[in-house]
């Protein structure tokens, strides 16, 4: 198993290197990281609000903010 484990380790290091480099880039640039997180949060909120609206409608609840 020794040769297999060595080859597997080398393959993993090679495949994960782009992720490691991107992580380093983002951690070195807090402003870019914050910007990307904001963009992601906006996209997630848009998807979630649509889904939540469908759920509220099907369950028969009033949407948030309406009483």
């Amino acid at each position: 198993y020794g040769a297999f484990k060595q080859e597997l380790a080398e393959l993993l290091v090679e495949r994960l290197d782009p992720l490691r480099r991107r992580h380093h880039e983002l951690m070195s640039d807090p402003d870019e990281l914050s910007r990307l997180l904001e963009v992601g949060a906006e996209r997630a909120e848009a998807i979630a609000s649509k889904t939540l609206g469908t759920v509220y409608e099907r369950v028969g609840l009033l949407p948030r903010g309406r009483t």
Side-chain angles (χ1 to χ4, degrees):
Y1 292 107
F4 170 74
K5 291 191 317 188
Q6 180 62 37
E7 288 181 37
L8 179 60
E10 290 171 8
L11 179 64
L12 286 172
V13 167
E14 178 184 322
R15 295 287 202 171
L16 293 176
D17 189 57
L19 295 173
R20 183 194 60 77
R21 282 188 276 126
R22 182 65 174 145
H23 176 265
H24 180 72
E25 288 172 14
L26 291 173
M27 297 310 289
S28 298
D29 188 352
D31 292 335
E32 176 65 2
L33 180 58
S34 293
R35 186 190 71 78
L36 289 173
L37 289 172
E38 181 70 28
V39 168
E42 289 171 2
R43 289 179 60 204
E45 198 279 328
I47 293 167
S49 66
K50 181 179 176 184
T51 302
L52 191 56
T54 301
V55 170
Y56 272 72
E57 182 180 309
R58 290 184 182 172
V59 173
L61 299 173
L62 292 175
R64 287 181 170 179
R66 290 183 52 196
T67 54

